[in-house]
Amino acid sequence: MDKIKMKTPLVEMDGDEMTRVLWKIIKDELLLPYIDLKTEYYDLGLPERDRTDDQITIDAAMATKKYGVAVKCATITPNKQRVEEYNLKEMWKSPNATIRAILDGTVFRAPIIVSNIKPVVANWKKPITIARHAFGDVYKASEIRAEEGGIAELVFTSASGKVTRMKVCELEGPGVLQAMFNKDRSIRSFAHSCFRYAISTKQDLWFGTKDTISKQYDQTFKLIFEDIYNTHYRAEFERLGIEYFYTLIDDAASRVIRSQGGFIWACKNYDGDVMSDLVSTAFGSLAMMTSILVSPDGCYEYEAAHGTITRHYYRYLQGETPTSNPMALIFAWCGALGKRGELDGINELTEFSKKLERACIETIEAGIMTKDLAALAEPGSKATVVNTLEFITEIKNKLDSEL
Ligand code: NAP
Ligand code: MG
């Protein structure tokens, strides 16, 4: 078989620790034998970020803007302990935060579903993808703890000098106060990313806020979404037969539980923080969860939702055979290659990524899995626990028989 040729390079961001080890195995075993892989490589491993004063992260984000599709390995976000461990010049910022800020993107988290690992919510048959607005609200709020009573006011001085003043409350004793904000610009970007991702994956989009109670704040979110939907996306949604559905956040929460899945749930920042943990836990495992950053102008960056699996890496350094689950990393590559194929009109590439995904799922459904999944598999279903390399070899055999 001839190797599949690519046109536009994929932006490849390498990472740290155990996932860096898995990254190389995945490329060597599952990609390079089949694809004339064309990537623009950025080493986001911590030593290289330190050496380049984190310029490499910025370059990688700019390359993603240029080419439109990236795949990223997990990376260490340094803390004090990492600064010592790697003898860093500085406590560099989280690469994901840097990339997200440059692309102005929204993160979509989606579970990988297999038939022998059942979600806690029995009626969920298809993935539920959570889109979390990652700017503002309570995460950028100002707070006051009042130790005695008093009057609280909200004051806004506009750029042109107009002052709006509003009494918030009169505290007769100690209490707490909070002021938060968001920007139309950020809400608009969030909305564009959500509608684009719904179109790109042909799924319904749900959005919920508390606009009945929050008649200015949440109402603004609702109106901006509605406006952007009507002006830019309604026709395409109708053509694809997908739906944009707005409801109150509490109604959304109860409908999600009763649903079969298969849609995107857009959430305000705090709702998304809480609901993404709830949904991902109910689906089973972080090792079976992918994460896709979508920018409002349609750039895509694919990665695993988990971190660098440090504990496994330290054991690997001591000579232990890797046992980590590579599913989310493989799916990140599949997502990116599939999107590249779609954008460049390379059908073989899109087909290859679908076949590789199917080979992964069939391997697990045949009962061959890493130990993290064996613990979650349906009672009574057979599970053969294998290490990472054995697991990848099984996937490769399945893939070969499909190609
Ligand atoms: P983690 O890497 O996600 O791992 C936490 C635990 O989850 C592991 O010890 C392991 O449990 C289990 N796990 C996660 N992924 C797994 C997989 N693929 N296969 C099997 N088990 C898996 O989180 P962390 O240990 O808190 O963070 C480690 C580093 O990752 C940190 O430096 C953090 O900054 C970074 N991080 C990066 C990203 C990113 O780049 N997107 C995201 C999160 C964290 P057991 O040990 O019980 O087997
Ligand atoms: Mg959280």
Side-chain angles (χ1 to χ4, degrees):
M1 190 188 107
D2 280 347
K3 287 195 193 183
I4 300 166
K5 298 262 182 305
M6 294 176 65
K7 282 186 201 148
T8 317
L10 194 62
V11 179
E12 174 186 355
M13 307 182 199
D14 208 342
D16 290 298
E17 300 192 315
M18 202 64 228
T19 44
R20 190 180 179 98
V21 177
L22 299 180
W23 196 256
K24 183 164 184 324
I25 302 178
I26 292 168
K27 280 178 69 179
D28 288 346
E29 300 296 322
L30 297 175
L31 304 176
L32 291 170
Y34 308 97
I35 304 170
D36 226 339
L37 202 61
K38 197 167 172 183
T39 71
E40 200 164 291
Y41 178 85
Y42 292 87
D43 183 0
L44 299 199
L46 193 46
E48 187 62 9
R49 277 183 276 149
D50 194 51
R51 194 187 69 77
T52 62
D53 294 337
D54 211 22
Q55 184 60 37
I56 189 83
T57 309
I58 296 167
D59 293 347
M62 297 312 287
T64 307
K65 252 177 150 25
K66 177 173 167 195
Y67 294 115
V69 188
V71 58
K72 180 179 170 292
C73 186
T75 47
I76 294 170
T77 298
N79 54 16
K80 206 162 143 271
Q81 181 254 319
R82 297 296 199 169
V83 172
E84 284 161 24
E85 184 184 352
Y86 283 81
N87 191 22
L88 300 179
K89 295 186 227 165
E90 240 181 76
M91 201 187 292
W92 305 109
K93 280 203 306 194
S94 144
N96 285 33
T98 303
I99 296 165
R100 201 169 60 211
I102 291 174
L103 293 177
D104 187 20
T106 298
V107 173
F108 296 80
R109 260 190 169 199
I112 302 162
I113 302 212
V114 289
S115 62
N116 44 348
I117 296 168
K118 296 266 189 285
V120 173
V121 180
N123 45 286
W124 286 355
K125 302 283 183 260
K126 294 184 211 156
I128 295 169
T129 303
I130 299 256
R132 172 181 172 190
H133 183 211
F135 176 80
D137 301 352
V138 72
Y139 303 87
K140 291 241 181 240
S142 308
E143 304 191 330
I144 296 174
R145 159 86 195 141
E147 294 301 348
E148 58 172 335
I151 293 170
E153 289 179 299
L154 194 59
V155 182
F156 176 66
T157 310
S158 78
S160 57
K162 184 167 173 276
V163 177
T164 311
R165 182 169 233 117
M166 184 188 273
K167 183 166 151 189
V168 175
C169 65
E170 200 167 332
L171 291 176
E172 69 289 349
V176 281
L177 303 160
Q178 180 185 68
M180 61 184 198
F181 70 95
N182 221 300
K183 301 179 185 180
D184 281 13
R185 192 177 172 270
S186 172
I187 302 167
R188 266 200 218 105
S189 295
F190 176 47
H192 278 293
S193 298
C194 290
F195 289 121
R196 276 178 178 272
Y197 191 64
I199 288 170
S200 147
T201 59
K202 300 181 186 58
Q203 296 183 87
D204 291 346
L205 175 68
W206 294 18
F207 183 41
T209 74
K210 200 70 185 173
D211 64 288
T212 45
I213 301 296
S214 171
K215 290 190 164 52
Q216 297 295 336
Y217 203 108
D218 281 20
Q219 175 83 344
T220 295
F221 280 79
K222 179 186 173 182
L223 293 178
I224 287 178
F225 264 70
E226 224 167 76
D227 175 49
I228 287 179
Y229 176 63
N230 287 327
T231 347
H232 299 274
Y233 300 105
R234 179 184 281 277
E236 186 64 5
F237 267 58
E238 283 170 1
R239 197 180 68 76
L240 292 171
I242 54 175
E243 187 191 14
Y244 168 55
F245 172 60
Y246 178 88
T247 183
L248 285 171
I249 179 69
D250 40 355
D251 180 49
S254 77
R255 282 173 189 258
V256 164
I257 296 295
R258 283 183 276 118
S259 77
Q260 299 212 325
F263 54 88
I264 299 158
W265 186 12
C267 292
K268 285 178 62 199
N269 208 348
Y270 175 82
D271 299 339
D273 187 351
V274 178
M275 293 309 170
S276 69
D277 279 4
L278 185 130
V279 170
S280 61
T281 307
F283 270 114
S285 161
L286 258 197
M288 295 288 279
M289 186 76 59
T290 58
S291 186
I292 303 130
L293 178 74
V294 181
S295 76
D297 55 353
C299 296
Y300 295 78
E301 182 231 289
Y302 295 80
E303 66 166 337
H306 58 75
T308 59
I309 339 175
T310 311
R311 275 209 296 257
H312 294 203
Y313 182 61
Y314 290 156
R315 295 205 300 259
Y316 166 75
L317 290 181
Q318 311 252 302
E320 198 183 280
T321 311
T323 57
S324 320
N325 182 348
M327 282 289 283
L329 286 171
I330 299 173
F331 269 64
W333 272 101
C334 289
L337 289 168
K339 180 53 84 181
R340 197 64 274 168
E342 187 191 312
L343 294 177
D344 291 350
I346 308 172
N347 202 28
E348 304 104 284
L349 195 57
T350 312
E351 283 306 308
F352 173 84
S353 75
K354 281 189 196 145
K355 283 183 183 144
L356 178 51
E357 285 186 356
R358 209 173 312 134
C360 290
I361 286 174
E362 283 172 4
T363 300
I364 295 178
E365 291 184 342
I368 298 160
M369 54 187 85
T370 46
K371 96 169 178 278
D372 56 310
L373 291 188
L376 299 169
E378 281 289 280
S381 67
K382 64 179 165 92
T384 311
V385 177
V386 292
N387 65 38
T388 309
L389 206 56
E390 292 165 338
F391 183 62
I392 287 178
T393 305
E394 279 300 325
I395 294 171
K396 191 174 163 58
N397 291 340
K398 280 234 158 34
L399 178 67
D400 285 339
S401 68
E402 288 212 26
L403 286 172

